[in-house]
Amino acid sequence: MAPKTPSSLPLCEIKYRKNYISRVIELFILFLLFSLLAYRFLTLKFHGLQWLLALICESWFTFIWILTVSTKWNQVEPTTYPLRLLERTSKFPAVDIFVTTADPVLEPPLITINTVLSLLAVDYPANKLACYVSDDGASIVTYYSLVEASKFAKLWVPFCKKYNIALRAPFRYFSGNSSPPQDSSQEFQQDWTRMKDEYKQLCKKIEDASTQEPETFDFAGDFAVFSNIQQKNHPTIIKVILENKEGVADGLLHLVYISREKRPKHPHQFKAGAMNVLTRVSGVMTNAPFMLNVDCDMYANNPQVVLHAMCYFLGAKDEIDCGFVQFPQFFYDGLKEDPYGNQLKVLHEYFGRGVSGIQGPFYQGSGCFHRRKVIYGSSPYEKITAGELKDEYIQKTYGMSEKLSTSIAKTLLEGSNIIEQFNSDCPSSSIEVAHQVGSCGFEFGTAWGQKLGWLYGTVTEDVLTGLFIQSRGWKSAYCLPDPPAFLGCAPAAGPASMIQQKRWATGLFEILFNSKSPIIGTLFGKLQLRQCMAYLQIQLWALRSIFEVCYAILPAYCLITNSHFLPQANEPSIVIPALIFIIYNLYGLSEYIRANEPIIAWMNNQRIWRVNAMSAWLFGILSATTKLLGFSETAFEVTKKDQNDTNSDIGRFTFDDSPIFVPGTAILLLNLSALFIGVLDFKKGNNIEWGLGEVICIMWIVFVFWAFLKGFFAKGKYGIPTSSILKAGALALLLVHLFKFKQ
């Protein structure tokens, strides 16, 4: 047989894991759960309220486990071959890159410019790329930082490509390296030293600007537009910072700053609104057929990231298989042993690979390449002819802009060539129309945010948008290059981590009541049933909190009322819950070991996911419910992006006076009180109904909330505020009295 030529070799391959043993264990756990439910149901008439409550909670946990098993059933091993792509062609489609930032305090400009610099230096023809930075904070500091970074980029990008630097975010490249490698050439050492000095100067300029009072800035020239504006009340600001006028492949790509118009009485739709403005502005400026969006803290860790994505887009047998390409979110400088459970390595390793084996990964809001026509609302196999794209239809659907209408028609038209689809005119020639499509009133009466673009109605616009894309029949691709494509920074404090979890739980739960929910998508759209089940697994986080809290209270209730919700130790049926507890935890531990994670990371994640469920997710359902009932509006809470922290206590759980810590503190106090009451009853020689099972459950609750227990005795940010302890204590005392009254 003749060897395959580069043109016949696949650009991407997807293989399925042979996870037969895992499937058997998961099914055995499911069998045990059904056995427990059957036992509960058959013996319900012999027991009281606690038995019924346990049956309800365990029925819910069984349902969640079914969703989990279904999602993890077909795990994929994706592989891409960028070298084959380079051998096959020298003509590549264009890509518009979107970087979003919202607050210069919570998202320091130094983080943003490092992300931008890493993207400016990727291995891809510069004349096929354009980078758009959306600044929802309308910050002069952010704009100044980008201007200064563009000057540094003229040195940094050629340096990276000349020496084939693997890590192209300068703050990561120079971190911990006080001098260049000794075995390198003299020329490289000189260039390296020069780059580091230039980067230090850049950092100093940005840090000095960040500490300046706004009124001390020189608002002359390009900065004049930032004078006398407010963060939530200003006109559209668009500045072309870099422009590849000659269309040079090895030059610098276009760099455009955008701060969309905001007015106090006009809803700006959070990040989704910013993404739609970026889509329209880029549509009139460059109109690339593909778009990459990244958060300001997710720098390009792999310089061939665009080539990896193109292996899917250009190598797919049918474009329906690749509506978007999602790279998983990994994090740099992750805290040792993952004390906040937010590095999500194991979640990506099993759940992420599993959902990718159904209809493709969820859209995660960052590190994702989109087909522009999919964002414009196109469905698979939809053949749009020129006759269907009448000006009246386009303007009613997409907005009143002749140039935008022309670019949209070019994108959607059947048979359009994605290699040639790129506006070769300089971005600066489209500034006027870009201001028009970036105005806050442009979307009025159009389908933006409803049927096309990034969808409105939730703070998790990424999941809703991806769900709508897949409900139209598109599949998505999961790309896992080595090294990882993007790395970001995860919250390194308890309050920030909790706020993030609350926002996710709120937004995901809101989607269930949206007209584009996964259930609607399966019944009336083209979302596969198992993909719907995968979406439900995460969208029910908030609702799950109610059952988690109830189950955590059950052992305390039993010790206080001298009852039991588990079979007695001398009953054969005690084997069922004991096996579930042991096998489930050992299986979870094995997943961490197989993912090369330490045992302590598994313990930390066990604790924090229960804490999140009974604290952040509980507030998530309260927030979502009040919004759905019309009592309030959901607020988009930006997560603080932490820079390097040299504190020796980094990773130690921190608290603040937020009410989000009250439920967890109350649950811990309630269980400790119940244990104390139970011990007193035991010493008095009373007839004891509760058994070892209930005591073990209480000790497990104490283990879960161990950080809270230590917080009782710590001071400063490591201690639980007195006000929170008093509120939690009052709540726990109330429950104790209610339980005693029931007795």
Side-chain angles (χ1 to χ4, degrees):
M1 181 182 291
K4 289 186 177 182
T5 62
S7 60
S8 63
L9 292 170
L11 298 178
C12 57
E13 288 182 318
I14 298 176
K15 297 179 180 179
Y16 288 88
R17 284 180 168 176
K18 297 179 180 179
N19 53 325
Y20 305 126
I21 296 177
S22 297
R23 291 176 181 177
V24 170
I25 296 172
E26 290 168 357
L27 289 176
F28 184 61
I29 293 173
L30 184 61
F31 167 75
L32 290 173
L33 286 168
F34 278 125
S35 300
L36 180 60
L37 294 181
Y39 168 74
R40 292 272 189 210
F41 183 76
L42 293 173
T43 57
L44 186 59
K45 61 183 177 181
F46 304 113
H47 298 278
L49 174 65
Q50 73 278 7
W51 211 259
L52 175 62
L53 191 59
L55 174 62
I56 294 171
C57 292
E58 288 159 0
S59 298
W60 175 263
F61 298 147
T62 302
F63 171 64
I64 293 297
W65 186 246
I66 291 171
L67 299 181
T68 303
V69 172
S70 170
T71 303
K72 293 166 61 178
W73 195 259
N74 298 109
Q75 298 171 25
V76 299
E77 293 277 5
T79 309
T80 46
Y81 302 98
L83 292 179
R84 293 179 185 176
L85 178 62
L86 292 172
E87 292 173 356
R88 184 175 299 185
T89 183
S90 60
K91 295 182 179 180
F92 300 99
V95 179
D96 287 334
I97 302 171
F98 303 154
V99 180
T100 52
T101 182
D103 189 309
V105 176
L106 297 177
E107 299 173 330
L110 196 57
I111 289 179
T112 302
I113 66 107
N114 268 281
T115 296
V116 171
L117 287 168
S118 70
L119 292 165
L120 294 180
V122 294
D123 290 334
Y124 205 75
N127 59 343
K128 291 290 186 176
L129 294 174
C131 182
Y132 297 84
V133 180
S134 171
D135 176 21
D136 257 11
S139 167
I140 188 174
V141 178
T142 301
Y143 176 64
Y144 169 80
S145 301
L146 285 169
V147 171
E148 293 301 317
S150 69
K151 299 173 184 176
F152 175 71
K154 294 174 182 177
L155 303 173
W156 175 248
V157 174
F159 170 76
C160 290
K161 295 189 175 180
K162 178 180 179 180
Y163 296 107
N164 196 25
I165 303 299
L167 190 54
R168 299 185 182 180
F171 84 113
R172 296 290 295 165
Y173 180 69
F174 292 119
S175 64
N177 295 324
S178 57
S179 59
Q182 296 302 311
D183 57 349
S184 56
S185 68
Q186 187 68 28
E187 181 185 12
F188 174 78
Q189 292 186 32
Q190 291 174 351
D191 288 347
W192 189 97
T193 304
R194 181 190 175 200
M195 284 299 107
K196 186 166 187 179
D197 291 341
E198 292 285 348
Y199 180 64
K200 282 183 178 179
Q201 293 177 30
L202 173 64
C203 292
K204 187 176 187 309
K205 288 179 181 179
I206 294 173
E207 288 165 359
D208 290 346
S210 300
T211 57
Q212 269 186 259
E213 293 296 328
E215 57 270 14
T216 63
F217 273 95
D218 181 6
F219 290 102
D222 279 349
F223 298 94
V225 70
F226 290 95
S227 62
N228 301 319
I229 68 168
Q230 299 174 359
Q231 184 175 352
K232 296 183 179 180
N233 187 14
H234 63 84
T236 304
I237 303 172
I238 300 178
K239 297 286 185 182
V240 179
I241 299 174
L242 284 176
E243 205 166 23
N244 189 346
K245 293 182 179 180
E246 294 78 21
V248 181
D250 58 354
L252 291 176
L253 50 147
H254 305 313
L255 176 60
V256 183
Y257 170 91
I258 302 170
S259 186
R260 60 191 169 122
E261 181 184 14
K262 284 189 177 180
R263 299 302 176 193
K265 295 183 179 180
H266 195 287
H268 58 83
Q269 307 296 350
F270 312 119
K271 182 180 175 182
M275 293 301 301
N276 285 334
V277 170
L278 285 168
T279 303
R280 294 194 297 270
V281 170
S282 65
V284 298
M285 283 189 164
T286 46
N287 197 36
F290 300 104
M291 304 178 293
L292 160 66
N293 89 277
V294 294
D295 289 341
C296 65
D297 63 312
M298 299 290 292
Y299 72 86
N301 183 62
N302 187 325
Q304 293 193 323
V305 58
V306 184
L307 294 173
H308 282 284
M310 288 305 142
C311 285
Y312 278 108
F313 286 124
L314 303 180
K317 294 179 180 178
D318 195 317
E319 69 175 16
I320 189 177
D321 295 326
C322 195
F324 61 84
V325 177
Q326 177 67 61
F327 292 83
Q329 294 186 19
F330 295 118
F331 305 96
Y332 61 85
D333 287 346
L335 297 179
K336 187 180 179 183
E337 294 155 353
D338 196 13
Y340 296 112
N342 53 18
Q343 294 176 37
L344 310 179
K345 291 181 181 178
V346 174
L347 189 70
H348 287 308
E349 183 65 23
Y350 302 105
F351 189 89
R353 290 177 184 270
V355 72
S356 302
I358 309 173
Q359 200 173 338
F362 308 146
Y363 170 36
Q364 298 172 16
S366 182
C368 187
F369 285 80
H370 295 272
R371 291 184 189 270
R372 184 179 287 271
K373 74 174 190 177
V374 173
I375 293 297
Y376 282 165
S378 175
S379 297
Y381 305 124
E382 185 179 23
K383 297 181 179 180
I384 300 176
T385 62
E388 296 176 274
L389 295 174
K390 296 179 180 179
D391 290 344
E392 183 181 350
Y393 165 78
I394 291 183
Q395 291 178 3
K396 183 179 179 180
T397 306
Y398 298 93
M400 300 291 290
S401 168
E402 184 178 344
K403 187 165 185 178
L404 180 62
S405 298
T406 302
S407 73
I408 289 171
K410 188 175 181 180
T411 300
L412 295 177
L413 196 60
E414 171 66 17
S416 59
N417 190 326
I418 60 171
I419 303 297
E420 297 175 358
Q421 185 192 323
F422 188 66
N423 186 359
S424 58
D425 296 338
C426 293
S428 56
S429 65
S430 305
I431 286 286
E432 185 177 344
V433 67
H435 277 84
Q436 177 194 352
V437 301
S439 64
C440 61
F442 183 82
E443 294 182 354
F444 182 75
T446 69
W448 286 101
Q450 308 302 321
K451 296 181 180 179
L452 57 95
W454 274 256
L455 302 189
Y456 304 150
T458 174
V459 291
T460 51
E461 77 297 320
D462 46 3
V463 175
L464 179 59
T465 301
L467 168 60
F468 185 50
I469 290 171
Q470 292 181 330
S471 294
R472 300 203 304 269
W474 292 100
K475 294 181 180 179
S476 55
Y478 198 52
C479 196
L480 281 163
D482 185 20
F486 299 97
L487 292 180
C489 56
S497 181
M498 287 286 189
I499 287 172
Q500 186 183 64
Q501 288 286 332
K502 176 197 167 188
R503 187 181 77 230
W504 289 349
T506 301
L508 291 168
F509 189 66
E510 288 172 343
I511 295 173
L512 281 176
F513 300 89
N514 191 289
S515 61
K516 300 174 181 65
S517 76
I519 297 173
I520 299 296
T522 299
L523 293 176
F524 304 103
K526 297 179 180 178
L527 191 73
Q528 296 178 19
L529 175 61
R530 287 182 55 220
Q531 189 77 5
C532 171
M533 294 171 69
Y535 274 108
L536 289 176
Q537 208 277 348
I538 63 168
Q539 289 175 356
L540 290 171
W541 279 358
L543 191 58
R544 189 166 151 187
S545 64
I546 297 173
F547 300 95
E548 294 268 1
V549 169
C550 288
Y551 212 68
I553 290 174
L554 264 179
Y557 173 85
C558 290
L559 264 70
I560 293 171
T561 60
N562 193 24
S563 58
H564 65 97
F565 79 102
L566 291 172
Q568 298 284 15
N570 58 354
E571 297 179 36
S573 52
I574 188 64
V575 173
I576 300 175
L579 281 177
I580 292 173
F581 180 80
I582 294 170
I583 295 174
Y584 174 79
N585 282 291
L586 286 178
Y587 177 62
L589 176 60
S590 73
E591 287 191 321
Y592 276 75
I593 292 173
R594 283 182 282 139
N596 298 316
E597 290 293 296
I599 294 176
I600 191 67
W602 168 77
M603 294 175 61
N604 287 336
N605 278 241
Q606 284 293 302
R607 287 199 290 248
I608 199 64
W609 281 94
R610 299 282 74 74
V611 169
N612 285 335
M614 290 181 263
S615 301
W617 296 358
L618 183 62
F619 274 81
I621 194 170
L622 292 175
S623 176
T625 303
T626 54
K627 179 192 173 182
L628 292 168
L629 294 176
F631 297 141
S632 68
E633 285 295 323
T634 304
F636 189 94
E637 298 167 286
V638 179
T639 307
K640 188 179 188 304
K641 307 300 189 295
D642 296 293
Q643 293 177 284
N644 293 340
D645 194 334
T646 55
N647 188 343
S648 59
D649 285 324
I650 187 71
R652 186 178 171 187
F653 204 91
T654 58
F655 301 88
D656 63 10
D657 57 359
S658 168
I660 208 167
F661 294 105
V662 172
T665 308
I667 289 170
L668 176 60
L669 287 173
L670 175 65
N671 278 273
L672 290 173
S673 301
L675 188 62
F676 180 73
I677 292 170
V679 170
L680 287 181
D681 287 344
F682 182 77
K683 284 188 174 182
K684 289 177 183 177
N686 296 338
N687 183 30
I688 300 299
E689 289 290 329
W690 49 265
L692 182 62
E694 284 75 21
V695 174
I696 291 175
C697 286
I698 286 184
M699 298 310 296
W700 185 257
I701 294 295
V702 173
F703 163 75
V704 165
F705 287 97
W706 187 252
F708 284 63
L709 184 62
K710 293 196 294 185
F712 288 144
F713 309 102
K715 295 181 179 180
K717 65 180 181 179
Y718 303 112
I720 303 175
T722 304
S723 60
S724 297
I725 294 176
L726 292 175
K727 293 173 187 175
L731 182 57
L733 188 61
L734 175 63
L735 289 173
V736 169
H737 279 284
L738 286 174
F739 295 166
K740 281 286 187 181
F741 177 76
K742 167 66 174 62
Q743 185 183 15

